[in-house]
Amino acid sequence: MRLLPALAAAAAVAVLAPGTAAASSSPARFVTAHGTFTAYAPGAPAVTYRPDLVPAGARAHVFSLSAAPAGTTTLLFVTGLRPGRAYGAHAHAQPCGATGDAAGPHFQYAPDPVKPSVDPAYANARNEIWLDFTTDRAGTGLARSTVDWTFAARRAKSVVVHETSTHTDPGHAGTAGARLACLTVDF
């Protein structure tokens, strides 16, 4: 099972942005994070807040490659979740904590001056990293996000799995229900 993250990382490098580092004037940044969801404990990299929907023992892997001018491509791979279910997932501004709220709001490249952000001009898949997925009959899911920007001094610090797929309508844009689980990621 340890071979899976290594294979996924190799595939991510090959598929996400082939030739990006050579075409870029700034260095590429490749980030990986993985964890097994557990109840919260200080320092736990992967936390489940709703074990009925993200069971303890389920796993998540994140691979992210950023390089100008290609932007940022992020891949989320999950196993052990409820089969045949749609989930929302997004990069968040803070690391995981004792509650889902500890991860803060979605990371936005251009921050919405109004909080919470539900304006589609800011809460959208071009300004945020959205990783919605539907699990297969084995509880495995895969999502990919590509945005045309890279992280600067301000960086996302986690990926949060949400209860529903992400809404896009005004007044609800970016919302996806309760925060079910969180994986700390050093974007």
Side-chain angles (χ1 to χ4, degrees), residues 25-174:
S25 61
S26 63
R29 178 174 167 87
F30 183 65
V31 173
T32 65
H34 61 90
T36 301
F37 291 108
T38 64
Y40 174 76
V47 180
T48 181
Y49 307 111
R50 289 279 307 272
D52 57 321
L53 298 176
V54 178
R59 297 187 52 79
H61 304 270
V62 170
F63 307 94
S64 184
L65 179 62
S66 291
T72 301
T73 296
T74 305
L75 197 81
L76 170 65
F77 178 67
V78 295
T79 59
L81 275 63
R82 288 193 49 198
R85 188 177 196 294
Y87 292 86
H90 313 101
H92 279 250
Q94 299 301 320
C96 305
T99 68
D101 290 340
H106 294 179
F107 179 89
Q108 294 182 324
Y109 180 70
D112 187 342
V114 177
K115 305 293 184 225
S117 180
V118 291
D119 179 349
Y122 293 94
N124 62 64
R126 295 171 314 284
N127 193 42
E128 300 181 354
I129 295 175
W130 289 7
L131 297 159
D132 291 12
F133 61 92
T134 299
T135 54
D136 64 15
R137 64 182 180 201
T140 299
L142 179 67
R144 176 181 167 179
S145 164
T146 300
V147 293
D148 65 1
W149 45 267
T150 60
F151 291 102
R154 233 175 21 89
R155 296 179 177 279
K157 297 181 180 158
S158 63
V159 169
V160 172
V161 176
H162 290 267
E163 183 177 25
T164 66
S165 296
T166 307
H167 299 278
T168 58
D169 52 313
H172 298 101

